[in-house]
């Protein structure tokens, strides 16, 4: 059976900073749902070169937010 693309928004009941999750792609079949979240990390090389503790706080927070979004699905 082929997958059907669908727009999806998940609104968790939490009061944290992640009030809505919008995955990049949701594929549905009657028996399966596949959620895809793509992240391009242009700062990954900087984190690798400098090490996690040596990059700016703003960059670490952006990276954490991206990881939390991907894990939330």
């Amino acid at each position: 059976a082929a997958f059907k693309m669908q727009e999806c928004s998940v609104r968790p009941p939490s009061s944290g900073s992640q009030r809505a999750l919008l995955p990049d792609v949701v594929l549905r079949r009657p028996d399966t749902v596949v959620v895809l979240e793509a992240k391009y990390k242009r700062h990954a090389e900087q984190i690798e070169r400098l090490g996690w503790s040596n990059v700016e706080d703003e960059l670490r927070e952006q990276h954490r937010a991206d990881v939390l979004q991907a894990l939330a699905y």
Side-chain angles (χ1 to χ4, degrees):
F3 280 103
K4 176 184 175 189
M5 296 216 27
Q6 178 181 3
E7 199 170 311
C8 178
S9 173
V10 178
R11 300 198 189 287
S14 71
S15 60
S17 62
Q18 296 287 339
R19 296 191 198 289
L21 302 174
L22 301 172
D24 294 316
V25 177
V26 176
L27 303 172
R28 287 188 180 272
R29 287 195 322 202
D31 61 338
T32 306
V33 176
V34 177
V35 178
L36 302 174
E37 180 61 36
K39 296 291 180 195
Y40 171 71
K41 308 306 287 178
R42 71 175 156 243
H43 57 266
E45 187 177 300
Q46 183 180 5
I47 292 172
E48 187 175 321
R49 187 177 72 249
L50 298 175
W52 180 254
S53 60
N54 295 319
V55 295
E56 297 174 13
D57 288 341
E58 183 178 332
L59 189 62
R60 285 199 304 263
E61 286 305 313
Q62 179 185 358
H63 184 76
R64 281 188 190 112
D66 288 345
V67 170
L68 286 174
Q69 182 182 9
L71 292 174
Y73 299 115

